[in-house]
């Protein structure tokens, strides 16, 4: 018999897959139960409301992203690297060439956080991890004022990823865009 935390995690994973495949509107208790391989009663037992389901899913995603990007940021701070290594780190952040449901779900969750202020703290935590990684990469590249430019770099990554999602543009466009940013000075951005 599965442990309650395993069932709960299966439900959260199912929610993220559903969101990535068909959007938040597709998240129903019946679909979650089927996708997670649990009873309908298990879904309602573990999550009383859809808000709770979405919040827990966003928090789970944020925890994974924060852990992943903090580790990348720590690796970037440990030893110096050149622009080629920075491009490789950016490519890892971009998630490769494929956009699957795992890459689409965050966009849906962040849009939902824009609609539901109760989710904004979790979204802010994730963006703080993105900003930390961007700051460390920009610092390693000796870009002036890396803390100030980190948010710009993160916005470019998200914008380029959204563009990739909508148009099928290649991942290389993202790397090129960020390499251009490293050549800018703060006075040119104002």
């Amino acid at each position: 018999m599965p442990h309650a935390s395993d069932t709960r995690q299966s439900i959260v994973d199912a929610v993220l897959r559903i969101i990535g495949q068909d959007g938040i509107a597709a998240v129903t208790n019946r679909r979650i139960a089927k996708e997670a391989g649990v009873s309908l009663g298990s879904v309602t037992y573990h999550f009383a409301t859809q808000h709770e389901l979405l919040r827990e899913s966003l928090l789970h995603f944020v925890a994974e992203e924060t852990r992943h990007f903090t580790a990348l940021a720590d690796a970037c701070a440990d030893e110096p690297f050149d622009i080629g290594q920075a491009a490789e780190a950016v490519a890892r952040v971009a998630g490769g060439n494929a956009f699957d449901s795992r890459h689409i779900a965050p966009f849906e969750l962040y849009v939902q956080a824009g609609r539901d202020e109760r989710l904004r703290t979790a979204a802010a935590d994730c963006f703080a991890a993105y900003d930390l990684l961007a700051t460390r990469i920009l610092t390693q590249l000796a870009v002036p004022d890396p803390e100030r430019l980190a948010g710009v770099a993160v916005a470019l990554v998200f914008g380029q990823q959204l563009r990739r999602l909508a148009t099928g543009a290649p991942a290389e466009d993202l790397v090129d865009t960020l390499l251009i940013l490293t050549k800018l000075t703060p006075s040119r951005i104002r």
Side-chain angles (χ1 to χ4, degrees):
M1 182 169 176
H3 191 271
S5 64
D6 294 337
T7 300
R8 192 172 174 88
Q9 186 60 52
S10 294
I11 293 168
V12 167
D13 291 340
V15 169
L16 290 171
R17 282 192 305 275
I18 293 166
I19 290 171
Q21 291 166 359
D22 297 315
I24 289 176
V27 176
T28 66
N29 287 354
R30 289 189 193 289
R31 175 124 183 237
I32 295 164
K34 181 179 179 184
E35 183 81 23
V38 300
S39 70
L40 184 58
S42 289
V43 175
T44 57
Y45 172 79
H46 288 284
F47 300 97
T49 65
Q50 186 172 43
H51 166 74
E52 189 181 341
L53 268 167
L54 293 175
R55 183 177 180 282
E56 188 71 24
S57 297
L58 180 59
L59 289 173
H60 172 72
F61 170 78
V62 165
E64 285 188 352
E65 286 285 275
T66 301
R67 191 171 28 259
H68 174 71
F69 284 104
T70 301
L72 282 173
D74 289 345
C76 290
D78 289 342
E79 52 188 75
F81 59 85
D82 62 20
I83 197 77
Q85 290 164 309
E88 288 175 25
V90 169
R92 282 195 310 266
V93 168
N97 293 322
F99 247 119
D100 56 18
S101 64
R102 190 179 132 277
H103 292 93
I104 296 170
F107 288 99
E108 294 275 351
L109 288 167
Y110 290 137
V111 168
Q112 187 65 24
R115 292 183 186 113
D116 185 344
E117 67 184 46
R118 297 171 294 180
L119 299 175
R120 290 188 188 146
T121 300
D125 290 345
C126 199
F127 276 97
Y130 298 150
D131 289 349
L132 175 63
L133 176 59
T135 298
R136 297 238 174 111
I137 289 173
L138 293 171
T139 298
Q140 287 290 349
L141 295 174
V143 172
D145 205 4
E147 292 86 7
R148 183 169 168 258
L149 292 177
V152 173
V154 170
L156 279 173
V157 169
F158 270 82
Q160 284 295 105
Q161 285 185 311
L162 187 57
R163 182 182 187 134
R164 282 180 59 209
L165 173 62
T167 66
E172 292 77 26
D173 288 356
L174 171 61
V175 174
D176 291 344
T177 300
L178 287 174
L179 292 178
I180 290 168
L181 176 67
T182 64
K183 294 177 175 82
L184 295 177
T185 63
S187 62
R188 290 186 189 149
I189 292 176
R190 292 177 213 235

